[in-house]
């Protein structure tokens, strides 16, 4: 639309990621649940941070990673989230702004520290996340930057932020602003255990406030409490008009007009770290959608982005996605 300032604006947790390669025995020693996201308090976060000396630090958060990926494609992208007025908060703000992403949400002046996620990556590429949500979950409807939301073609909501009641209210508030402005709302389910905690709320949000849904296979099965993927897809089609469901090396299934369509994953020489794969798939898909590309091409851009990010440590691109799109002869 001609009056939009942003292709996509994200709303989610503002987190600094601490990523470290470890052996399987490390997970056992520290009683870490493999391939899940475990919420931890500040003392536990401090303990796990001290336990590794070879960690890589980078601004993260699922929704922020997607927005960074969109910027790498060349999209006009903005972000809304909560950090504390501390050193890590300044790191997060600077990283986003340096990537060309406006991040102007007022910091938390009195409360917990800026959030961080300690992510342990085993030799098989699996990631195990231990997240101290800190200031990020102090997000409330008052933090929604209404003008930014109105000026975005798509509002992208991160499911991880759904663990606090004020954040839930902020989701609904932001989506209503977006809808009133004639825009579209996208949601990512983020994590199967997040879905388990908030199934009814997510279903209400999907049926009443969301136009575009992102999920992986496990999250979708948890959402509909079934072990039958085809059944889950069928039920999802009854709840929403547009969705993309990722299935790791099997690619993704896109729900739009007509029958669901399977799109193959991009080949990867070696999986180094799966952190951010789903986030970057969403970035590619949303970028294609914002440019009016066919849904299968949107999914291909998603797989190109996911393939790049799992080939190195960290949840954000090292090779500009715009360059990879050009190499794939995708014109936008």
């Amino acid at each position: 639309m001609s009056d939009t300032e942003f292709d996509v604006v994200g709303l989610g947790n503002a987190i600094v990621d601490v990523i470290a390669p470890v052996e399987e025995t490390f997970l056992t020693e520290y009683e870490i649940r493999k391939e899940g996201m475990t919420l931890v308090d500040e003392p536990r976060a401090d303990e796990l941070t001290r336990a590794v000396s070879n960690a890589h630090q980078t601004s993260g958060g699922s929704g922020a990673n997607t927005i960074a990926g969109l910027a790498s494609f060349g999209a006009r992208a903005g972000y809304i989230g909560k950090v504390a007025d501390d050193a890590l908060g300044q790191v997060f703000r600077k990283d986003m702004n340096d990537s060309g992403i406006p991040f102007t949400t007022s910091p938390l002046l009195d409360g917990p520290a800026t959030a961080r996620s300690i992510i342990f990556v085993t030799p098989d590429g699996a990631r195990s996340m231990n997240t101290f949500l800190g200031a990020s979950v102090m997000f409330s409807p008052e933090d929604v930057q209404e003008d930014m939301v109105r000026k975005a073609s798509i509002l992208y909501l991160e499911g991880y932020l759904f663990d606090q009641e004020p954040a839930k209210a902020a989701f609904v508030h932001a989506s209503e602003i977006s809808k009133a402005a004639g825009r579209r709302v996208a949601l990512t389910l983020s994590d199967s255990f997040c879905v388990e905690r908030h199934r009814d709320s997510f279903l209400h949000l999907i049926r009443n406030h969301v136009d575009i849904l992102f999920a992986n296979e496990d999250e979708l099965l948890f959402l509909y409490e079934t072990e039958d993927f085809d059944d889950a897809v069928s039920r999802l089609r009854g709840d929403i008009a547009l969705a993309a469901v990722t299935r790791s090396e099997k690619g993704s299934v896109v729900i739009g007009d007509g029958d669901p369509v399977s799109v193959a994953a991009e080949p990867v020489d070696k999986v180094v770290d799966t952190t951010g794969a789903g986030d970057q798939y969403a970035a590619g898909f949303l970028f294609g959608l914002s440019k009016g590309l066919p849904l299968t091409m949107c999914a291909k851009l998603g797989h190109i982005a996911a393939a790049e990010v799992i080939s190195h440590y960290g949840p954000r691109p090292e090779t500009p996605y715009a360059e990879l799109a050009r190499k794939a002869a995708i014109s936008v």
Side-chain angles (χ1 to χ4, degrees):
M1 298 174 69
S2 59
D3 59 340
T4 59
E5 183 178 334
F6 301 98
D7 296 314
V8 183
V9 163
L11 191 160
N13 286 324
I15 297 176
V16 175
D17 286 338
V18 180
I19 305 171
V22 298
E23 298 298 326
E24 295 279 351
T25 52
F26 181 93
L27 302 185
T28 302
E29 179 182 355
Y30 283 90
E31 299 180 337
I32 295 166
R33 178 166 55 88
K34 186 174 180 179
E35 293 189 283
M37 195 285 284
T38 302
L39 296 176
V40 300
D41 58 17
E42 195 161 3
R44 173 67 165 168
D46 289 340
E47 176 193 18
L48 294 177
T49 302
R50 290 193 301 267
V52 290
S53 59
N54 55 344
H56 171 70
Q57 295 188 359
T58 180
S59 294
S62 174
N65 292 337
T66 295
I67 294 301
L70 276 153
S72 185
F73 274 111
R76 302 169 301 160
Y79 196 65
I80 302 171
K82 200 73 172 177
V83 296
D85 186 20
D86 58 15
L88 285 181
Q90 290 299 320
V91 168
F92 185 92
R93 191 177 302 278
K94 183 177 186 302
D95 281 355
M96 297 298 278
N97 291 333
D98 286 352
S99 298
I101 302 164
F103 177 67
T104 57
T105 314
S106 298
L108 182 68
L109 300 178
D110 183 19
T114 294
R116 67 185 184 270
S117 183
I118 306 100
I119 304 169
F120 299 110
V121 184
T122 42
D124 58 359
R127 75 199 198 287
S128 305
M129 301 166 58
N130 301 265
T131 304
F132 166 59
L133 293 173
S136 68
V137 294
M138 306 303 289
F139 195 91
S140 69
E142 290 72 28
D143 292 307
V144 174
Q145 293 165 268
E146 298 183 5
D147 191 52
M148 181 180 280
V149 172
R150 289 190 190 97
K151 292 180 178 179
S153 292
I154 300 171
L155 172 68
Y156 180 69
L157 303 174
E158 176 195 327
Y160 278 134
L161 193 59
F162 226 55
D163 275 309
Q164 299 292 327
E165 290 301 323
K168 290 183 184 180
F171 265 37
V172 174
H173 180 54
S175 65
E176 288 175 344
I177 294 167
S178 180
K179 291 281 195 176
R183 317 305 191 195
R184 288 186 286 181
V185 177
L187 169 71
T188 175
L189 293 183
S190 296
D191 179 88
S192 57
F193 293 94
C194 188
V195 174
E196 189 174 35
R197 289 193 297 273
H198 307 295
R199 181 179 293 107
D200 291 343
S201 294
F202 276 143
L203 284 170
H204 175 81
L205 200 65
I206 291 164
R207 291 165 179 164
N208 297 281
H209 298 280
V210 172
D211 304 291
I212 307 156
L213 182 71
F214 293 95
N216 65 30
E217 182 173 358
D218 286 343
E219 292 158 5
L220 186 66
L221 296 177
F222 267 79
L223 183 67
Y224 291 107
E225 298 181 275
T226 179
E227 296 180 0
D228 186 327
F229 179 74
D230 291 336
D231 174 55
V233 168
S234 177
R235 293 165 68 179
L236 180 61
R237 293 179 69 193
D239 284 337
I240 199 163
L242 178 56
V245 183
T246 56
R247 308 185 75 189
S248 299
E249 69 277 1
K250 297 177 184 177
S252 62
V253 173
V254 179
I255 294 169
D257 293 334
D259 294 333
V261 177
S262 295
V263 180
E266 292 292 303
V268 179
D269 290 336
K270 181 182 179 182
V271 176
V272 175
D273 173 17
T274 59
T275 307
D279 303 337
Q280 298 308 335
Y281 175 90
F285 194 100
L286 287 170
F287 179 69
L289 200 63
S290 73
K291 301 306 178 184
L293 296 182
L295 295 182
T296 53
M297 194 61 68
C298 294
K300 182 174 178 62
L301 284 170
H303 286 304
I304 287 172
E308 191 280 339
V309 83
I310 66 176
S311 67
H312 58 76
Y313 284 111
R316 297 187 181 182
E318 290 186 350
T319 302
Y321 287 156
E323 177 182 320
L324 297 180
R326 285 193 298 270
K327 286 183 179 179
I330 300 174
S331 178
V332 292

